[in-house]
Structure formats: C-alpha cells, structure tokens
Amino acid sequence: MSTQSSASPALEPLLLRTDSQGIVTLRLNRPGQFNALSEALLAALQAQIDALAGDASLRCVVLEASGRAFSAGHDLREMRSQPSLDYYRELFRKCGAVMQGLQALPVPVIAKVRGIATAAGCQLVASCDLAICADDARFAVSGINVGLFCATPAVALSRNVSAKRAFDMLVTGRFIDAATAADWGLVNDAVPADQLDARVAELAAEILSKSPAAIRHGKRMFYKQRQMALADAYDYAGDVMARNMMEEDAAEGIDAFLQKRAPRWRGLA
C-alpha cells in the first residue's frame, strides 16, 4: 500500500509506504529534488513514525528512497524563502524530532542507501539503527560548503563515528565513499548495488527470526544505557534483562535450546 503524504491528491506522494509480514518500508519520494527533506516530507515522516510507534504487529522498518539519491539534506530553496530565526529554529526542531522518533521506534530501523546522502540526509542514515548501502553510495555533511556548519547532522554523525573523523567531515564537507563509511561505522555494510535489496531483505529476515519481545526490550535498553554512567547502566540493564526473562518468549527460547529444537515465539507480552 502507499500513503498520500501531501495535502493535495493531485500531487505525487512524498512518502510511500508498503507493509509486508511485519516489515514496513518507507520510501522518500522526491527523486527530482534528490529527496531533499522539505517541510512536507518531514511532516510525512513524522506522521508515519507516530503511527508506527503504537503498532504491536511491527517488527522492522526499512527506510529507502526513490531515484538516484538517498537524500541531499534540507531543501535549501525552501529554507531561503523564509529567512527568519524563528522559522529556522522550528524547522530544525521538526527535523530533530524525526531523527529522534526513528530511534524511539520500538523495532530496528534499517537505512537502505543508494546514491548520495548529504547533510541532513547523512543525518538520516546515522539516525537509523542499522544501515546497508550500495558500494557506489557516498556520504557527506557538506553544509560548510555553503557557509552553514551542519550542527544538527553532527549530533547523529558523532554518535556513529569517532570525534576526529566526524569533525573532519564537518569542517571539510568532503565526501566519503561506501567502503570508508563501512570502515568508520556510519553503515554496517556496503554491497554491490545489484545485491542491496537482497542484503537488506536478509537482514530484516534475521530480525524477524528473533523474539519480538526481546528485540523491543533490547532496543529501548541499548540507547538509554548509552547515556548513563557505567554502574547505573549495569543496574538498568540488569533490570531490563530480568524483565525480559519474565516474557514467555524467553522461557520458550531457553526450553527450545535445551530441547534442541527451533523456538516458537509467542510474540509480545
């Protein structure tokens, strides 16, 4: 299925959605604008994130894009049309909410990247839990080239790659290739372009083979503990693990292991 993300039914949808066996695929659909993150596209993404957050049947989200580019970042023409401090603050707030919303979803979000991912487009990749790219993909936080330090993309980027590598990208605006992005940890893997769909499908299938309850416990815990002091993180993680042990899936998984059979996941508590 697809969802109309624009207010006008005569316009091409800015965001396409397909659902298949617990996997929701969201496709950025502004190929003529290199999938620049306009206000309308950000609103469409936020609406889908809000809808997915409470979907108990959701197991995985794949974020991809139409055309030759994943995303060229913010829509600069739109930004220049409203030169107001309040407007820019609200725009970047909305963009930050989308990025945080992806991380707050209770299931893994996989970025499937073809072409370039620049500025807020690179931020979008960095905000996903996992990322697989084609081996001809390229990444940059290139706002510095137009006199704008990519401050908000820096938040996500610096949580994926080392501080010196992130700062290098931010102050030079230079592109890194797919192999470098994988080596630096911005993406999990770079594969030949004709194998990208299969690799992402394989990764999603691996996720779907695991306990949905354990995945949801784990994703929430993973990000929360990263902000804690070590002792607090262990206290919190121990509580999460104990609660996970109380799930039917944990009992089933352990019994299946001991009985040398495949587990039959019961789903969410």
Side-chain angles (χ1 to χ4, degrees), residues 232-255:
D232 293 337
Y234 270 110
D235 286 344
Y236 168 62
D239 181 67
V240 171
M241 204 161 185
R243 291 176 185 276
N244 193 167
M245 277 296 297
M246 299 305 295
E247 297 278 0
E248 288 186 61
D249 273 1
E252 164 62 14
I254 293 170
D255 288 349

Side-chain angles (χ1 to χ4, degrees), residues 59-91:
R59 302 290 306 281
C60 181
V61 175
V62 175
L63 185 62
E64 61 180 15
S66 301
R68 296 179 297 153
F70 181 76
S71 175
H74 284 290
D75 189 322
L76 297 179
R77 191 177 301 277
E78 185 178 73
M79 288 172 66
R80 284 293 294 136
S81 70
Q82 302 187 62
S84 156
L85 181 60
D86 287 343
Y87 168 75
Y88 293 140
R89 282 175 171 162
E90 181 62 10
L91 173 64

Side-chain angles (χ1 to χ4, degrees), residues 36-162:
L37 299 177
S38 64
E39 288 186 82
L41 181 49
L42 286 172
L45 280 166
Q46 187 64 64
Q48 286 296 333
I49 289 168
D50 292 343
L52 292 171
D55 185 350
S57 68
L58 184 67
R59 302 290 306 281
C60 181
V61 175
V62 175
L63 185 62
E64 61 180 15
S66 301
R68 296 179 297 153
F70 181 76
S71 175
H74 284 290
D75 189 322
L76 297 179
R77 191 177 301 277
E78 185 178 73
M79 288 172 66
R80 284 293 294 136
S81 70
Q82 302 187 62
S84 156
L85 181 60
D86 287 343
Y87 168 75
Y88 293 140
R89 282 175 171 162
E90 181 62 10
L91 173 64
F92 296 132
R93 185 200 66 78
K94 289 176 180 177
C95 183
V98 166
M99 305 300 169
Q100 292 174 81
L102 291 171
Q103 193 173 104
L105 284 174
V107 301
V109 180
I110 306 170
K112 184 202 292 189
V113 185
R114 289 186 171 90
I116 62 168
T118 60
C122 187
Q123 179 185 5
L124 194 57
V125 175
S127 296
C128 293
D129 306 300
L130 300 161
I132 308 294
C133 72
D135 58 7
D136 57 357
R138 296 190 301 149
F139 304 84
V141 278
S142 48
I144 198 69
N145 294 332
V146 297
L148 181 66
F149 190 87
C150 278
T152 48
V155 175
L157 180 67
S158 64
R159 283 162 170 76
N160 282 245
V161 307
S162 72

